[in-house]
Amino acid sequence: MTQPSMKSLHKAIAVLDCFSRAEPSLSLGTIADRLGLPKPTAHRLLAALREAGLVVQDGNRDRYRLGLRLVALGSVALSDLALFHVARPYAERLANQSGEAAHLCAFDGSNVVSIDRREMQPARNEQVTIEREPPHCTGTGKAILAFLPAAVVERVIAGGLERFTANTLTDPDALRAELAVVRERGYALDLEERQYGIRCVGAPIRDPGGAVVGSISATGPADRFPEGRIATLAELVTATARAISEALAARPAG
């Protein structure tokens, strides 16, 4: 692939990254402004993505949203993800034992991706919701980030530490210090750093080689996560993460 083609690919990916659950529909002007691109360039990228089925245009309106082809591609990715298959029963057990939601997450290089969510009472018709969130402000994200190479941490910092609440760590040194604490105690906390009223305890999951490949958390309303209960939840979450890691190690290769 030629260098210009690689640049176009990176720009196209940046366009897709503009969309989120909070902003599922965006105008051409918003996308161009957000990426610092001329409108004609943004329009060409959107046209190519639309032709590939990765974005769709809302009728005759100047607004775009992600295409259903991404859902199909995401399902294929999940079907081949060992972490997803191995960890699901452990996540369900964690939800039942803790009485809180259990989130199973992976890292895509920039964001933490929630690949499974388990409630205390599993629904009859299961639906997996895939969400991406910044790693610096979530328990699952910090549980992964703390055990990744320093270069990855610095790349995340260079990308900007967005503030979501007054508790969000936006100072690089404060985040580095927090990650050091996570490495020492073996679990991470989100104390209303991503969303007011929500707290979570997350722990890292390791592959057979010992590398951190994901994390799992217990997440719920802040009033159910007082300081005295956090230690109990941390013990339960870290034990679940170890059990998943051991199950991954015991899984036959291939």
Side-chain angles (χ1 to χ4, degrees):
M1 185 177 288
T2 62
Q3 190 65 25
S5 296
M6 283 299 297
K7 289 182 178 179
S8 296
L9 176 60
H10 290 313
K11 289 179 181 178
I13 293 172
V15 170
L16 296 176
D17 281 341
C18 286
F19 296 91
S20 66
R21 288 177 64 85
E23 296 179 294
S25 175
L26 296 170
S27 68
L28 169 64
T30 297
I31 293 170
D33 290 344
R34 192 161 294 176
L35 299 179
L37 296 173
K39 277 191 177 182
T41 301
H43 186 268
R44 284 196 297 272
L45 290 168
L46 285 163
L49 291 168
R50 186 178 60 206
E51 185 177 349
L54 300 178
V55 300
V56 294
Q57 190 170 4
D58 287 343
N60 295 323
R61 299 171 59 203
D62 181 30
R63 298 191 71 81
Y64 297 82
R65 53 188 172 82
L66 296 179
L68 291 178
R69 187 174 184 184
L70 287 169
V71 176
L73 292 173
S75 296
V76 172
L78 281 180
S79 71
D80 193 43
L81 189 62
L83 176 63
F84 176 68
H85 294 288
V86 170
R88 296 184 82 185
Y90 296 92
E92 184 171 321
R93 186 172 67 187
L94 174 62
N96 288 326
Q97 290 177 334
S98 67
E100 309 296 347
H103 290 186
L104 176 66
C105 297
F107 186 65
D108 70 1
S110 301
N111 293 278
V112 63
V113 181
S114 177
I115 59 176
D116 198 14
R117 177 188 173 103
R118 296 280 148 174
E119 304 288 350
M120 187 173 176
Q121 297 296 332
R124 186 178 298 272
N125 296 316
E126 295 182 359
Q127 179 178 357
V128 177
T129 301
I130 301 176
E131 299 180 72
R132 297 171 74 235
E133 294 185 303
H136 69 284
C137 57
T138 60
T140 50
K142 288 187 286 185
I144 296 173
L145 203 58
F147 298 94
L148 295 180
V152 177
V153 176
E154 294 308 315
R155 186 174 72 238
V156 168
I157 290 173
L161 303 178
E162 184 177 354
R163 179 177 296 282
F164 296 94
T165 75
N167 299 327
T168 306
L169 295 176
T170 59
D171 177 77
D173 287 337
L175 177 61
R176 294 186 190 102
E178 174 76 3
L179 296 180
V181 171
V182 173
R183 283 190 292 274
E184 182 177 349
R185 70 186 176 197
Y187 63 89
L189 300 176
D190 167 6
L191 301 178
E192 300 181 72
E193 297 165 43
R194 178 72 171 96
Q195 181 180 345
Y196 285 118
I198 299 295
R199 291 185 171 188
C200 86
V201 181
I205 298 169
R206 300 179 182 274
D207 68 11
V212 170
V213 293
S215 61
I216 192 165
S217 73
T219 302
D223 59 5
R224 293 210 297 261
F225 281 65
E227 186 174 342
R229 187 175 182 235
I230 284 177
T232 301
L233 287 171
E235 185 175 342
L236 183 57
V237 171
T238 54
T240 302
R242 284 196 300 271
I244 296 171
S245 301
E246 291 168 0
L248 284 171
R251 189 172 186 262

